[in-house]
Amino acid sequence: MTAKELKRKLVSNGWIITRGGSHEMATHPDKPGVKIPIHRHTGDIPTGTLNKILKDTGLK
């Protein structure tokens, strides 16, 4: 899954994407204090990183 696909999935589940330094940050209004960094690189997100992001956001 690419970062673009992941961001689309997060936004459709209520997450808000904001631009940061070298990463974009995903936050959710119902989960205060939780910030998920998403890289802006091209290509697929490594499997372990993707699984951790999905687990932290509650999508897996």
Coordinates of all heavy atoms in Angstrom, one line a residue:
M1 N 0.8 -1.2 0.0 CA 0.0 0.0 0.0 C 0.9 1.2 0.0 O 1.9 1.3 0.7 CB -0.9 0.0 1.2 CG -1.8 1.2 1.3 SD -2.9 1.1 2.8 CE -4.0 -0.2 2.4
T2 N 0.5 2.2 -0.8 CA 1.3 3.4 -0.9 C 0.8 4.4 0.2 O -0.3 4.2 0.7 CB 1.2 4.1 -2.3 OG1 -0.2 4.5 -2.5 CG2 1.7 3.1 -3.4
A3 N 1.6 5.5 0.4 CA 1.2 6.5 1.4 C -0.1 7.1 0.9 O -1.0 7.5 1.7 CB 2.3 7.5 1.6
K4 N -0.3 7.4 -0.4 CA -1.5 8.0 -0.9 C -2.7 7.1 -0.6 O -3.8 7.7 -0.2 CB -1.3 8.2 -2.4 CG -2.4 9.0 -3.1 CD -2.1 9.2 -4.5 CE -3.1 10.1 -5.2 NZ -2.8 10.4 -6.6
E5 N -2.6 5.8 -0.8 CA -3.7 4.9 -0.5 C -4.1 4.9 1.0 O -5.2 4.9 1.4 CB -3.4 3.5 -1.0 CG -3.3 3.4 -2.5 CD -2.7 2.1 -3.0 OE1 -2.0 1.4 -2.2 OE2 -2.9 1.7 -4.1
L6 N -3.0 4.9 1.8 CA -3.2 4.9 3.2 C -3.9 6.1 3.7 O -4.8 6.1 4.5 CB -1.8 4.7 3.9 CG -1.9 4.8 5.5 CD1 -2.8 3.7 6.1 CD2 -0.5 4.8 6.0
K7 N -3.5 7.3 3.2 CA -4.1 8.6 3.6 C -5.6 8.6 3.2 O -6.4 9.0 3.9 CB -3.4 9.7 2.9 CG -2.0 10.0 3.6 CD -1.4 11.2 3.1 CE -0.6 10.9 1.8 NZ 0.2 12.0 1.3
R8 N -5.9 8.1 2.0 CA -7.3 8.0 1.5 C -8.1 7.1 2.5 O -9.2 7.5 2.9 CB -7.4 7.4 0.1 CG -8.0 8.3 -0.8 CD -8.2 7.7 -2.2 NE -7.0 8.0 -3.0 CZ -6.4 7.2 -3.8 NH1 -6.8 6.0 -4.0 NH2 -5.3 7.6 -4.5
K9 N -7.6 6.0 2.9 CA -8.2 5.1 3.9 C -8.4 5.8 5.2 O -9.5 5.6 5.8 CB -7.4 3.8 4.0 CG -8.1 2.8 4.8 CD -7.3 1.5 4.8 CE -8.1 0.4 5.4 NZ -7.5 -1.0 5.2
L10 N -7.4 6.5 5.7 CA -7.5 7.1 7.0 C -8.6 8.2 7.0 O -9.4 8.4 7.9 CB -6.2 7.7 7.4 CG -5.1 6.7 7.8 CD1 -3.8 7.4 8.0 CD2 -5.5 5.9 9.0
V11 N -8.6 9.1 5.9 CA -9.5 10.2 5.8 C -10.9 9.6 5.7 O -11.9 10.2 6.3 CB -9.2 11.1 4.6 CG1 -10.3 12.0 4.2 CG2 -7.9 11.8 4.8
S12 N -11.2 8.5 5.0 CA -12.5 8.0 4.9 C -13.0 7.4 6.3 O -14.2 7.2 6.5 CB -12.6 6.9 3.9 OG -11.8 5.7 4.3
N13 N -12.1 7.2 7.2 CA -12.4 6.7 8.6 C -12.3 7.8 9.6 O -12.3 7.6 10.8 CB -11.5 5.6 9.0 CG -11.9 4.3 8.3 OD1 -12.9 3.7 8.6 ND2 -11.1 3.9 7.3
G14 N -12.3 9.1 9.2 CA -12.4 10.2 10.1 C -11.1 10.8 10.6 O -11.1 11.7 11.4
W15 N -10.0 10.4 10.1 CA -8.7 10.9 10.4 C -8.4 12.2 9.6 O -8.9 12.3 8.5 CB -7.6 9.9 10.2 CG -7.6 8.8 11.1 CD1 -8.4 7.7 11.1 CD2 -6.9 8.6 12.4 NE1 -8.2 6.9 12.2 CE2 -7.3 7.4 13.0 CE3 -5.9 9.4 13.0 CZ2 -6.7 7.0 14.2 CZ3 -5.4 9.0 14.2 CH2 -5.8 7.8 14.8
I16 N -7.7 13.1 10.2 CA -7.4 14.4 9.6 C -5.9 14.4 9.3 O -5.1 14.1 10.2 CB -7.7 15.6 10.5 CG1 -9.2 15.6 10.8 CG2 -7.3 16.9 9.9 CD1 -9.6 16.4 12.0
I17 N -5.5 14.7 8.1 CA -4.1 14.7 7.7 C -3.6 16.1 7.6 O -4.2 16.9 7.0 CB -3.9 14.0 6.3 CG1 -4.6 12.6 6.2 CG2 -2.5 13.9 5.9 CD1 -4.0 11.6 7.1
T18 N -2.5 16.4 8.3 CA -1.9 17.7 8.3 C -0.4 17.5 7.9 O 0.2 16.5 8.1 CB -1.9 18.4 9.7 OG1 -1.3 17.5 10.7 CG2 -3.4 18.6 10.1
R19 N 0.1 18.6 7.3 CA 1.5 18.5 6.8 C 2.4 18.8 8.0 O 2.2 19.7 8.8 CB 1.7 19.5 5.7 CG 0.9 19.2 4.5 CD 1.2 20.1 3.3 NE 2.5 19.9 2.8 CZ 2.8 19.1 1.8 NH1 1.9 18.4 1.1 NH2 4.1 19.0 1.3
G20 N 3.5 18.1 8.0 CA 4.5 18.3 9.0 C 5.9 18.6 8.3 O 5.8 19.1 7.2
G21 N 7.0 18.3 8.9 CA 8.3 18.5 8.3 C 8.5 17.6 7.1 O 8.1 17.8 6.0
S22 N 9.1 16.4 7.4 CA 9.3 15.4 6.3 C 8.2 14.4 6.3 O 8.2 13.5 5.5 CB 10.6 14.7 6.5 OG 10.6 14.1 7.8
H23 N 7.2 14.5 7.2 CA 6.1 13.5 7.3 C 4.8 14.3 7.4 O 4.8 15.5 7.7 CB 6.2 12.7 8.5 CG 7.3 11.7 8.5 ND1 8.6 12.0 8.6 CD2 7.3 10.3 8.3 CE1 9.4 10.9 8.5 NE2 8.6 9.9 8.3
E24 N 3.7 13.6 7.1 CA 2.4 14.2 7.3 C 1.9 13.5 8.6 O 2.3 12.4 8.9 CB 1.5 13.9 6.1 CG 1.9 14.7 4.9 CD 1.1 14.5 3.7 OE1 0.7 13.3 3.5 OE2 0.9 15.4 2.9
M25 N 1.0 14.2 9.3 CA 0.6 13.6 10.6 C -0.9 13.4 10.5 O -1.7 14.2 10.0 CB 0.8 14.6 11.7 CG 2.3 14.9 11.9 SD 3.3 13.5 12.3 CE 3.1 13.4 14.0
A26 N -1.4 12.2 11.0 CA -2.8 11.9 11.0 C -3.2 12.0 12.4 O -2.6 11.4 13.3 CB -3.0 10.4 10.5
T27 N -4.3 12.7 12.7 CA -4.9 12.8 14.0 C -6.4 12.6 13.9 O -7.0 12.7 12.8 CB -4.7 14.3 14.5 OG1 -5.2 15.2 13.6 CG2 -3.3 14.6 14.8
H28 N -7.0 12.2 15.0 CA -8.4 11.8 15.0 C -9.1 12.6 16.1 O -8.5 12.6 17.2 CB -8.6 10.3 15.2 CG -10.0 9.9 14.8 ND1 -11.1 10.1 15.6 CD2 -10.5 9.3 13.7 CE1 -12.2 9.6 15.0 NE2 -11.8 9.1 13.8
P29 N -10.2 13.3 15.9 CA -10.9 14.0 16.9 C -11.3 13.2 18.2 O -11.3 13.7 19.3 CB -12.1 14.7 16.3 CG -12.1 14.2 14.9 CD -10.9 13.3 14.6
D30 N -11.6 11.9 18.0 CA -12.0 11.1 19.1 C -10.9 10.4 19.8 O -11.1 9.8 20.8 CB -12.9 10.0 18.5 CG -14.2 10.5 18.0 OD1 -14.6 11.6 18.3 OD2 -14.9 9.8 17.2
K31 N -9.6 10.6 19.3 CA -8.4 10.0 20.0 C -7.4 11.1 20.2 O -6.4 11.2 19.5 CB -7.9 8.9 19.1 CG -8.8 7.8 18.8 CD -8.2 6.8 17.9 CE -9.3 5.7 17.6 NZ -8.7 4.6 16.8
P32 N -7.7 11.9 21.3 CA -6.7 13.0 21.6 C -5.4 12.5 22.0 O -5.2 11.5 22.7 CB -7.4 13.8 22.8 CG -8.3 12.8 23.4 CD -8.7 11.8 22.3
G33 N -4.3 13.2 21.5 CA -3.0 12.8 21.9 C -2.4 11.7 20.9 O -1.2 11.5 21.0
V34 N -3.1 11.1 20.0 CA -2.6 10.1 19.1 C -2.3 10.8 17.8 O -3.2 11.4 17.2 CB -3.7 9.0 18.9 CG1 -3.2 8.0 17.9 CG2 -4.0 8.3 20.2
K35 N -1.0 10.8 17.4 CA -0.6 11.3 16.2 C 0.2 10.2 15.4 O 1.1 9.7 16.0 CB 0.3 12.5 16.4 CG -0.4 13.7 16.9 CD 0.5 14.9 17.1 CE -0.2 16.1 17.6 NZ 0.6 17.3 17.7
I36 N -0.2 10.0 14.2 CA 0.4 8.9 13.4 C 1.2 9.6 12.3 O 0.6 10.3 11.4 CB -0.6 8.0 12.8 CG1 -1.6 7.5 13.9 CG2 0.0 6.9 12.0 CD1 -0.9 6.6 14.9
P37 N 2.6 9.4 12.3 CA 3.3 10.0 11.1 C 3.2 9.1 9.9 O 3.3 7.9 10.0 CB 4.8 10.0 11.7 CG 4.8 8.9 12.7 CD 3.4 8.8 13.3
I38 N 3.1 9.8 8.7 CA 3.0 9.1 7.5 C 4.1 9.7 6.6 O 4.1 10.9 6.3 CB 1.6 9.2 6.8 CG1 0.6 8.7 7.8 CG2 1.6 8.5 5.5 CD1 -0.8 9.0 7.4
H39 N 5.0 8.9 6.0 CA 6.0 9.5 5.2 C 5.5 9.9 3.8 O 4.4 9.6 3.4 CB 7.1 8.4 5.0 CG 6.7 7.3 4.1 ND1 6.8 7.3 2.7 CD2 6.2 6.1 4.4 CE1 6.4 6.2 2.2 NE2 6.0 5.4 3.2
R40 N 6.2 10.8 3.2 CA 5.8 11.4 1.9 C 6.6 10.7 0.7 O 6.7 11.3 -0.3 CB 6.1 12.9 1.9 CG 5.1 13.6 2.7 CD 5.2 15.1 2.4 NE 4.8 15.8 3.6 CZ 5.3 16.9 3.9 NH1 6.3 17.5 3.2 NH2 4.9 17.5 5.0
H41 N 7.3 9.6 0.9 CA 8.1 9.0 -0.1 C 7.2 8.3 -1.1 O 6.0 8.0 -0.8 CB 9.0 8.0 0.5 CG 9.8 8.6 1.6 ND1 10.9 9.4 1.4 CD2 9.7 8.5 3.0 CE1 11.4 9.7 2.6 NE2 10.7 9.2 3.6
T42 N 7.7 8.0 -2.3 CA 7.0 7.3 -3.3 C 7.2 5.8 -3.0 O 8.1 5.4 -2.3 CB 7.5 7.6 -4.7 OG1 8.9 7.4 -4.8 CG2 7.2 9.1 -5.0
G43 N 6.4 5.0 -3.6 CA 6.5 3.6 -3.4 C 5.7 3.0 -2.3 O 5.0 3.8 -1.6
D44 N 5.8 1.7 -2.0 CA 5.0 1.1 -1.0 C 5.6 1.4 0.4 O 6.8 1.5 0.5 CB 4.9 -0.4 -1.2 CG 4.0 -0.8 -2.4 OD1 3.2 0.0 -2.7 OD2 4.2 -1.9 -2.9
I45 N 4.7 1.4 1.4 CA 5.1 1.5 2.8 C 5.6 0.1 3.2 O 4.9 -0.9 2.9 CB 4.0 2.0 3.7 CG1 3.5 3.4 3.2 CG2 4.4 2.0 5.1 CD1 2.3 3.9 3.9
P46 N 6.7 0.0 3.9 CA 7.2 -1.3 4.4 C 6.1 -2.0 5.2 O 5.3 -1.4 5.9 CB 8.4 -1.0 5.2 CG 8.9 0.3 4.7 CD 7.7 1.0 4.3
T47 N 6.0 -3.3 5.1 CA 4.9 -4.1 5.7 C 4.8 -3.9 7.2 O 3.7 -3.7 7.7 CB 5.1 -5.6 5.4 OG1 5.2 -5.8 4.0 CG2 3.9 -6.4 5.9
G48 N 5.9 -3.9 7.9 CA 5.9 -3.8 9.3 C 5.4 -2.4 9.7 O 4.6 -2.2 10.7
T49 N 5.8 -1.4 9.0 CA 5.4 0.0 9.3 C 3.9 0.2 9.0 O 3.2 0.7 9.8 CB 6.2 1.0 8.4 OG1 7.6 0.8 8.6 CG2 5.8 2.4 8.7
L50 N 3.4 -0.4 7.9 CA 2.0 -0.3 7.6 C 1.2 -1.0 8.6 O 0.1 -0.5 9.1 CB 1.8 -0.9 6.2 CG 0.3 -1.0 5.7 CD1 -0.2 0.5 5.6 CD2 0.2 -1.7 4.4
N51 N 1.6 -2.2 9.0 CA 0.8 -3.0 10.1 C 0.8 -2.2 11.4 O -0.3 -2.2 12.0 CB 1.4 -4.3 10.3 CG 1.2 -5.3 9.1 OD1 0.2 -5.1 8.4 ND2 2.0 -6.3 9.0
K52 N 1.8 -1.5 11.8 CA 1.9 -0.7 13.0 C 0.9 0.5 12.9 O 0.2 0.8 13.8 CB 3.3 -0.3 13.3 CG 3.4 0.6 14.5 CD 3.2 -0.1 15.8 CE 3.5 0.8 17.0 NZ 2.7 0.5 18.1
I53 N 0.9 1.1 11.7 CA 0.0 2.3 11.5 C -1.4 1.8 11.6 O -2.3 2.4 12.2 CB 0.3 3.0 10.2 CG1 1.7 3.7 10.2 CG2 -0.8 4.0 9.8 CD1 2.2 4.2 8.9
L54 N -1.8 0.7 10.9 CA -3.1 0.2 10.9 C -3.6 -0.2 12.3 O -4.7 0.0 12.7 CB -3.3 -0.9 9.9 CG -3.1 -0.6 8.5 CD1 -3.1 -1.8 7.6 CD2 -4.2 0.4 8.0
K55 N -2.7 -0.8 13.1 CA -3.0 -1.2 14.4 C -3.2 0.0 15.3 O -4.1 0.0 16.1 CB -1.8 -2.1 15.0 CG -2.0 -2.6 16.4 CD -0.9 -3.4 16.9 CE -1.1 -3.8 18.3 NZ 0.1 -4.5 18.8
D56 N -2.3 1.0 15.2 CA -2.5 2.2 16.0 C -3.7 3.0 15.7 O -4.3 3.7 16.6 CB -1.2 3.1 15.9 CG 0.0 2.5 16.5 OD1 -0.1 1.6 17.3 OD2 1.1 3.0 16.2
T57 N -4.2 3.0 14.5 CA -5.4 3.7 14.1 C -6.6 2.9 14.3 O -7.7 3.4 14.2 CB -5.3 4.1 12.6 OG1 -5.1 3.0 11.8 CG2 -4.2 5.1 12.4
G58 N -6.5 1.6 14.6 CA -7.7 0.8 14.9 C -8.3 0.3 13.6 O -9.5 -0.2 13.6
L59 N -7.6 0.3 12.5 CA -8.1 -0.2 11.3 C -7.8 -1.7 11.0 O -8.3 -2.2 10.0 CB -7.6 0.6 10.1 CG -8.1 2.1 10.2 CD1 -7.5 2.9 9.0 CD2 -9.6 2.2 10.1
K60 N -7.0 -2.3 11.8 CA -6.6 -3.7 11.6 C -6.9 -4.5 12.9 O -6.7 -4.0 14.0 CB -5.2 -3.8 11.3 CG -4.8 -5.2 11.0 CD -3.4 -5.3 10.4 CE -3.2 -6.8 10.1 NZ -1.9 -7.0 9.5

